[in-house]
Structure formats: structure tokens, C-alpha cells
Amino acid sequence: MTSTIPTPVPTPVLLVTGGSRGIGASVALLAAQQGYAVCLSYRSRGDLADALVAQITADGGRALAVQADVAIEADVVRLFERVDAELGRLTALVNNAGAIEQQGRVVDMDAARLRRVFDTNVVGSFICAREAVRRMSTARGGAGGAIVNLSSRAAGLGSPGEFVDYAASKGAIDTFTIGLAREVAMEGIRVNAVAPGLIETEIHASSGEPGRVDRLKAGVPMQRGGHPDEVARAVLWLLSAEASYITGTVVDVSGGR
Ligand code: NAP
């Protein structure tokens, strides 16, 4: 009788930017539960990122926290090098880090504000995706992978009187998702986006209105805000083999809004 020696299955490796809190933290935790080794990056909340790493490790998972501002190209390059060195071959990227400014009207927005929003939300996502494609592309000796970008329902709603700049940056993410997906479709890489609606995180306080979800939830067909875990589940599904024929798609997670 012949016995077969099982081939070790390599641990999938996921990088989630902005994984210290909110949706990114939910993605990091769920990914670890599903067996990914996880790198979560953050900009300033190293305390929260370290606590998440401790939690994942205590539960038997593998995680790494790295400070890196996605708006700074050298930080992004260093971030990916840390993943290479400490977790191994990258299989999944979640472009989650995102920033918003104080609510206001376009008539009052200066160029510095617009650059901050677009540098983080758009340029950061491009540069992170570039580093991921360089590692994943079968045309470059990689073994493929999947990318999920965080868009927003704001891209379709426009966010008048609140943050048209942020909404426009997420519109750019939708177009980026479609274009990159088609560009690398034959290189083993799927690229999709998730567009959350009103999700209970600190991003609303960052825009100056901590109670924003409560104010607006009556306008959501499901009459409530979403939980970050509800977004994370869609992200992890898009990364998984269950979504093997899905690329260039934006999935709304918005209670119908
Ligand atoms: P959040 O609670 O404000 O958390 C933002 C995360 O991004 C934090 O981990 C933060 O790091 C990180 N971050 C911000 N700027 C960064 C930068 N320049 N470099 C690296 N990391 C940076 O936000 P969230 O609500 O979870 O949102 C996550 C994503 O979902 C964003 O792209 C957002 O636009 C999108 N989204 C959210 C909602 C919603 O209702 N919450 C709706 C639609 C779309 P630190 O902790 O270190 O500051």
C-alpha cells in the first residue's frame, strides 16, 4: 500500500491598512480567525494596533502591527518589506486606510485639504496596490492574490454639504477598482471593492459629528447603521475562493441606502 505525504498548505498572508480600529480592525480579527497571518498597519494608534496583535496571538493566530502612513510612499514600501520579511508571501491586500476632514462645503475647501484627502484615500490605495501587484502577479513570478479596496456609498451620493471631497475620492476608488481589475485579470489577481454605507466607527467623529449615524439612520431602508463586522464579512468573502469569478465589482454593504 502506498501512503501519500500531505503537501503543507502555505498560510495565506493578508495586509490590511488602517487595521488599528473600525472596519480595518474587524477585517484583521476575522481574517486571523479564518487562518490568515495578518499585518495590520496604522498611522498613529499604535496602542490599539498592539492590543489587536496581542488578542490575535493569544487566540493562536499570527499578526504583526506596522506604523506606516499610506500617504507617504517610502512608508508603504517599508510596510510591504516588513510583511515579506516577517510573514512571507503576500496573498491578500485590503486597502482600508481612509481619512475624512471636517464637514463643510466645497466653496470653503482649500487645496491643502483636498491633497490630504486624495493623498490618503486615492494615492495611498494606488501605491499599496502597486506593491501588492509586484508581489502577486504571475507575470512577475508571483502566485496570484486578491485585493479589496474600501470605497463608500458616498461615491454615488456625493455627500453635499458634508464632504464632497471624500465622496469624490471614493468615486476614484471605484474607477481604480475596475481599471486595475481588468489590467491584472490574466495575472492571477482579482480586484474588488466594498462600498459601506453608514457604519458605526469613529470616522464620523473625525468629520465633526460623532452622532452622524443616529441622525441619518431613518433614511436607511433597514433603519439602522451597520456594524464593522458586517463589512468585514463581505471583504473576507471577496478575498476568498468563494468569489473566484468575481473581479472589478463594487459590493454595497449599506442596508439598502
Ligand atoms: P476609522 O474608524 O476612522 O479608522 C480609520 C483607520 O485608518 C485607522 O486605523 C487609522 O489609523 C487609519 N488611517 C487613517 N489615515 C491613515 C493614513 N494616512 N495612513 C495609514 N492609516 C491611516 O475609519 P472606518 O470607518 O473604519 O473606515 C475604514 C474605511 O472604510 C475607510 O476607507 C473609509 O473611508 C471607509 N468607509 C467607512 C464608512 C463608515 O461609515 N464608517 C462608510 C464608507 C466607507 P490610526 O488608528 O492610527 O489613526
Side-chain angles (χ1 to χ4, degrees):
M1 201 169 119
T2 55
S3 63
T4 48
I5 301 165
T7 322
V9 178
T11 305
V13 174
L14 176 143
L15 167 61
V16 52
T17 63
S20 48
R21 54 198 169 92
I23 293 167
S26 283
V27 169
L29 283 171
L30 186 59
Q33 285 163 15
Q34 293 186 2
Y36 286 90
V38 178
C39 175
L40 48 106
S41 73
Y42 62 94
R43 184 176 50 183
S44 54
R45 297 300 307 271
D47 55 332
L48 297 178
D50 288 344
L52 265 180
V53 167
Q55 186 180 340
I56 291 169
T57 309
D59 290 342
R62 211 167 142 214
L64 166 73
V66 179
Q67 194 285 328
D69 186 335
V70 296
I72 299 174
E73 188 168 7
D75 276 18
V76 172
V77 169
R78 178 176 49 75
L79 167 64
F80 277 77
E81 287 171 354
R82 288 281 304 276
V83 175
D84 295 340
E86 294 178 46
L87 296 181
R89 188 177 61 75
L90 185 75
T91 45
L93 166 68
V94 180
N95 265 323
N96 168 81
I100 205 162
E101 300 267 327
Q102 289 289 300
Q103 290 170 337
R105 294 170 62 90
V106 173
V107 73
D108 296 317
M109 291 178 189
D110 62 16
R113 168 187 169 130
L114 296 173
R115 287 198 186 95
R116 284 194 298 274
V117 170
F118 278 78
D119 276 355
T120 296
N121 298 358
V122 183
V123 179
S125 295
F126 265 78
I127 299 301
C128 287
R130 180 195 74 194
E131 292 300 311
V133 168
R134 285 178 178 176
R135 287 160 174 80
M136 294 173 179
S137 171
T138 53
R140 290 169 165 261
I147 297 172
V148 172
N149 298 319
L150 265 293
S151 176
S152 171
R153 282 295 298 125
L157 298 168
S159 306
E162 291 195 304
F163 25 72
V164 173
D165 51 348
Y166 170 86
S169 77
K170 295 301 184 176
I173 289 298
D174 289 355
T175 304
F176 171 51
T177 300
I178 295 164
L180 181 63
R182 293 176 180 185
E183 196 166 287
V184 299
M186 289 303 294
E187 297 173 28
I189 306 172
R190 294 182 302 102
V191 185
N192 291 290
V194 167
L198 295 164
I199 310 300
E200 300 277 9
T201 72
E202 292 170 356
I203 201 169
H204 307 287
S206 306
S207 76
E209 189 183 0
R212 183 168 174 268
V213 175
D214 275 342
R215 174 172 64 85
L216 295 172
K217 68 183 179 191
V220 179
M222 289 179 72
Q223 303 267 305
R224 66 171 177 89
H227 189 278
D229 288 349
E230 295 179 289
V231 182
R233 285 198 286 268
V235 170
L236 267 295
W237 178 76
L238 283 169
L239 292 175
S240 78
E242 297 294 312
S244 56
Y245 196 51
I246 300 177
T247 198
T249 298
V250 181
V251 175
D252 291 350
V253 181
S254 62
R257 185 171 188 251

